[in-house]
Amino acid sequence: MPLIGPKDMFERAYRGGYAIGAFNVNNMEIIQGIMQAAAEEKAPVILQVSAGARKYAGQKYIMKLVEAALDESDVPVVVHLDHGPSFEMCRDCIDGGFTSVMIDGSHLPFEENIAMTKQVVEYAHPRGVWVEAELGKLAGVEEHVSSADHVYTDPDEAVEFVRRTGCDSLAVAIGTSHGAYKFKGEAKLDFPRLEKIAAKLPGFPLVLHGASSVPAEFVKMCNAYGGNVGDAQGVPEDMLRKAAAMAVCKINVDTDIRLALTASVRKYFTEHPEQFDPRSYLGPAREAVKAMVAHKIRDVMGASGKA
Ligand code: G3H
Ligand code: 13P
Ligand code: ZN
């Protein structure tokens, strides 16, 4: 199946009250694990590539791996730039075959965020490419953006931002954050705010970043086999399901992939200290990614059978 844009995926997800999983990819095993899970669950899927992933693996390598995955796949797949820091990077990804890009101007003043997003929209739309933007700030570190505190998305500003930029979807800040340490005490998301934004932008797809749930089993496994992951806490799965049933059409997951993969590798090394063939530990790690993604698609996004 050829790569597609997210328009149809999101329209169906919005109407159906579920979300599309957007999973960060950095290497072959991660791509294979995600694609195998999506095939098994008969689910549409978004493979997203950060600036860091482009730097690590190279855009051409990633696109060739995705191409190989598509040859074997019969589920709809989008390739998306995650947290594009500049117009130039968005342009390179659009020219390189991405069907969706995110321009992240969330760290900029409102007018500057609008101007940069608009510039990307003007390049992307004539080429049939989808544009996700972000308004509000997630606490924590997003590669080029880091913020000590949340700045939640203002519903009225969101309406003005969407109208003036022409962006296709919007990442909102309602209390999630990137990484494994999302909440100090009780996990809390601002659902009334999400509802307000959704009501003011009817039919418009919203995006949830920082949406890993940091499963306790992976944290325990990392720590049991020599890791020191500490007091990690993610977004509870029932909150993600609630968001998916609302206007959130795309749920971003990276940290859970890292944890699944690393927990598996740590366990393997401890149990097989004599092994040094990378296939011996990357094979089970790929399986761990696949099982985690399949669970996520089925039990959190509600996207099984929607391909
Ligand atoms: O939002 C950030 C994603 O987890 C990507 O992380 O920039 O380290 O690849 P990265
Ligand atoms: P997590 O760190 O919660 O997996 O968030 C990933 C993300 O938002 C990628 O853009
Ligand atoms: Zn993100």
Side-chain angles (χ1 to χ4, degrees):
M1 219 188 232
L3 275 180
I4 60 162
K7 188 176 192 313
D8 179 56
M9 272 187 199
F10 286 171
E11 277 172 8
R12 292 174 55 200
Y14 194 99
R15 280 199 306 273
Y18 61 93
I20 311 296
F23 300 98
N24 284 73
V25 299
N26 286 281
N27 67 11
M28 182 186 78
E29 284 77 9
I30 293 175
I31 293 176
Q32 289 175 332
I34 296 165
M35 289 302 295
Q36 286 167 9
E40 218 169 76
E41 294 301 321
K42 299 189 176 21
V45 72
I46 299 176
L47 302 176
Q48 56 185 10
V49 184
S50 70
R54 278 175 95 239
K55 197 166 160 198
Y56 172 77
Q59 182 172 309
K60 271 196 184 158
Y61 266 92
I62 295 214
M63 287 311 267
K64 289 290 174 193
L65 288 168
V66 170
E67 216 176 275
L70 288 172
D71 282 350
E72 296 176 355
S73 149
D74 51 8
V75 298
V77 181
V78 166
V79 173
H80 172 79
L81 169 66
D82 188 31
H83 293 286
S86 62
F87 167 76
E88 289 74 19
M89 192 179 293
C90 290
R91 186 191 56 202
D92 287 353
C93 289
I94 292 165
D95 294 348
F98 283 48
T99 52
S100 175
V101 292
M102 176 191 190
I103 176 71
D104 182 358
S106 61
H107 55 296
L108 297 173
F110 188 63
E111 289 297 330
E112 287 174 43
N113 189 359
I114 287 182
M116 187 160 80
T117 302
K118 221 170 139 200
Q119 191 188 6
V120 173
V121 167
E122 278 162 10
Y123 190 78
H125 281 181
R127 293 163 178 81
V129 173
W130 186 272
V131 179
E132 174 184 321
E134 180 168 336
L135 187 65
K137 269 188 213 153
L138 273 63
V141 181
E142 306 179 26
E143 196 160 33
H144 66 292
V145 185
S146 99
S147 166
D149 297 306
H150 298 281
V151 179
Y152 286 2
T153 309
D154 178 83
D156 291 316
E157 279 189 0
V159 175
E160 185 184 343
F161 185 89
V162 168
R163 182 177 51 79
R164 288 179 54 196
T165 59
C167 68
D168 302 295
S169 54
L170 188 68
V172 292
I174 57 161
T176 62
S177 55
H178 291 98
Y181 309 94
K182 298 188 192 295
F183 302 99
K184 289 214 172 78
E186 193 196 343
K188 229 179 133 196
L189 297 186
D190 191 343
F191 281 105
R193 182 178 298 268
L194 180 61
E195 219 163 79
K196 232 184 230 171
I197 299 168
K200 284 177 182 275
L201 289 167
F204 191 81
L206 302 178
V207 178
L208 206 57
H209 281 248
S212 276
S213 38
V214 188
E217 58 179 295
F218 298 143
V219 175
K220 263 195 215 145
M221 207 160 135
C222 281
N223 292 339
Y225 295 102
N228 183 13
V229 177
D231 237 353
Q233 202 193 340
V235 185
E237 291 186 350
D238 60 330
M239 290 191 189
L240 296 170
R241 276 195 292 271
K242 186 170 165 183
M246 298 166 71
V248 170
C249 295
K250 173 173 177 273
I251 291 187
N252 285 9
V253 175
D254 187 1
T255 297
D256 287 353
I257 296 174
R258 298 176 181 194
L259 285 170
L261 198 151
T262 301
S264 166
V265 170
R266 280 196 173 282
K267 181 170 190 283
Y268 191 88
F269 279 155
T270 305
E271 290 176 349
H272 304 89
E274 75 294 350
Q275 267 290 359
F276 51 84
D277 179 343
R279 295 169 296 189
S280 70
Y281 55 88
L282 290 176
R286 178 172 57 195
E287 277 301 310
V289 170
K290 176 186 164 186
M292 186 280 293
V293 171
H295 160 69
K296 199 74 76 179
I297 288 173
R298 194 175 52 238
D299 304 321
V300 179
M301 317 280 172
S304 295
K306 308 292 188 188

